[in-house]
Structure formats: structure tokens, C-alpha cells
Amino acid sequence: MILSFTNGKGGTGKSTLGTYTAEYLYRHGAKVLIIDVDPNCSISEIYGFILKDENSKELLTGREVKPYRKKATDINYIDIIPSDLDLSMLSNITDIQLRRQIQKQGFNNVYDYIIIDPPGAWNAQTRNAVFAADTVIVCGKCSPLDYKATVKYMELLESCGLESEVFVVCNAYNKRRDPDNTLQKYIDTFGDFLVMPPLPEVNSLQRIASNPDYKINKTVQNRFSDFIAAITNKQWE
């Protein structure tokens, strides 16, 4: 299953939620591959793989790439294909190049889940991430600006005629810090596309985004279980 966390605006929490999801799936026995196609290298830096020869620029130009292994047990692991600072120079690739390379190199046969982290802009790298995905997760924090960006981005995705499943997630929600009642706007606008309940604002997410080995306690995991179940279409123990 290929999951892409995306939005046309930066700072919406897509890399953070991608990291959390990768760690959750790994800790529940899954084999996970992360593909970073953001030239900012955010999730690559989180996992400590930057300025590497094997990277997503090589992948998108058709070269065979061997992922780096971050952590493993006897049955499950997290691998990553990091990004490259020069990735933004690839502006003439087709929108389905990433999907082709995933299939060609057999990644979909090796991994239970492939998580793609694109930039916060609608460019060649983001289009590749979106068109490669089985499920697209549009991330927006609970703020008026992120809500507006999410509305525009969903309109753009609708015009693409995607066959993949699309979800919207309102994250970093804090009822006391929502004077404009932005959550209700998400609910009214996106309806069944919206994953409910909203993801709460918790320090654990910021900690895991700076240290993926950070151990998230069971209470926090339980608060996010509906989100993981929705985007993977699977209930987790």
C-alpha cells in the first residue's frame, strides 16, 4: 500500500505525520519504505540520511536504487530512500515516473507500506507522489490559513481525476486555540473525506519528528488509532 502525505502549502504537518505513521506501522510488525521526494530533505534529516548517493533523484531518473535501512527486527523494518538538494531541478519528468520505478524495482512486492513525503508545492515531485499513491492524505493544521490551503488543494486534486482514495486530516487541534472554529469548517467542507476525530496537538509528535526512536506512550497511540485505521483501512491491535 502506497501512502502520500501532501498539501500545496508547507508546514502542514505532512512530514511529521508521515514519520509517525511509519513508526506506528513498524512497531506493529510492518515492513515500511519511506521515499522522500522533497528537496528540503525534511524526513531524510529526521532519519539521519542526507547527502547520500542512493536517493530519490536517482530513482526518478530511472536508476536502480538500494534503500538505506534505519531499523529492523527479525520480521519488520524501516528503509528509506532519502531526497537530494538538487531534486527540484527535475522538472521535466512524467507524472507517473515514481509509480513506474516503484513497480520496476519491485518495492511494492517487498514492503507492506510505502510512505511518500513530497514538498509543499504542486510541482513534478508532488505530482509523482500523488499519482503513485493508493491513498492520498491531505494534511492541514487547525488554522484558518491551513484550512484555506487545504480547500484549494482538494479542488486541484479533484481536477486531476485521481483513482486513489483521498483523506483530509485536521491535525494539531486544540479546542482552546480554535477561536475561529476552524475544525467545524473542515467538517462542513470536507464531510466524509475528513478523518475524525481530529488529531490532537501533542508534544509526542514534535519529539518523534526530531527523533524517530522516541517512544510514544500507549495513551497517545490510542488517540491516533482511528487515523491509522482510516488511512490503512485496517484495524490495529
Side-chain angles (χ1 to χ4, degrees):
M1 185 179 204
I2 304 174
L3 308 169
S4 289
F5 292 79
T6 185
N7 198 312
K9 173 185 174 297
T12 59
K14 59 184 182 56
S15 296
T16 300
L17 291 180
T19 302
Y20 175 82
T21 302
E23 292 297 323
Y24 185 100
L25 296 174
Y26 164 76
R27 294 172 189 182
H28 285 76
K31 301 175 179 68
V32 181
L33 173 65
I34 299 169
I35 302 178
D36 187 359
V37 293
D38 184 351
N40 289 324
C41 304
S42 297
I43 206 165
S44 301
E45 191 169 19
I46 289 170
Y47 279 95
F49 292 99
I50 55 173
L51 306 178
K52 297 292 186 179
D53 293 334
E54 305 277 340
N55 56 58
S56 59
K57 181 184 176 185
E58 299 295 302
L59 180 67
L60 286 169
T61 51
R63 295 175 175 84
E64 186 172 338
V65 172
K66 182 179 180 181
Y68 296 91
R69 181 145 297 177
K70 173 61 180 179
K71 55 180 69 173
T73 69
D74 292 339
I75 59 172
N76 58 316
Y77 39 82
I78 290 181
D79 290 352
I80 181 168
I81 299 175
S83 189
D84 184 83
L85 292 171
D86 292 332
L87 186 59
S88 58
M89 298 175 64
L90 292 182
S91 58
N92 59 345
I93 54 175
T94 66
D95 291 345
I96 58 172
Q97 177 74 344
L98 181 56
R99 175 171 281 276
R100 284 175 176 168
Q101 290 304 311
I102 288 172
Q103 294 173 346
K104 181 180 179 181
Q105 301 194 31
F107 295 145
N108 48 346
N109 297 322
V110 175
Y111 299 96
D112 301 311
Y113 294 93
I114 298 174
I115 293 174
I116 307 174
D117 186 39
W122 186 249
N123 55 20
Q125 291 74 40
T126 302
R127 292 194 296 273
N128 266 271
V130 167
F131 288 113
D134 300 308
T135 301
V136 174
I137 302 100
V138 181
C139 309
K141 290 185 177 178
C142 192
S143 74
L145 185 59
D146 275 25
Y147 162 73
K148 188 64 176 179
T150 303
V151 169
K152 288 181 174 294
Y153 197 70
M154 285 291 284
E155 291 172 350
L156 189 155
L157 293 182
E158 185 177 4
S159 70
C160 294
L162 292 180
E163 296 181 1
S164 53
E165 194 164 17
V166 178
F167 292 101
V168 174
V169 56
C170 177
N171 68 91
Y173 173 68
N174 185 321
K175 185 176 181 179
R176 290 174 296 179
R177 299 180 185 175
D178 187 21
D180 300 311
N181 205 7
T182 302
L183 174 60
Q184 189 60 49
K185 294 176 183 177
Y186 273 96
I187 294 170
D188 294 342
T189 302
F190 300 115
D192 292 338
F193 289 103
L194 186 66
V195 177
M196 289 295 287
L199 300 186
E201 182 180 42
V202 293
N203 292 332
S204 296
L205 281 190
Q206 296 306 315
R207 290 171 182 160
I208 203 169
S210 59
N211 175 19
D213 293 324
Y214 176 78
K215 186 175 178 59
I216 293 181
N217 65 50
K218 193 67 175 179
T219 300
V220 173
Q221 287 192 46
N222 289 340
R223 296 174 72 185
F224 282 75
S225 61
D226 290 341
F227 166 67
I228 299 294
I231 66 173
T232 61
N233 195 29
K234 179 179 178 179
Q235 294 294 327
W236 298 84
E237 296 297 331

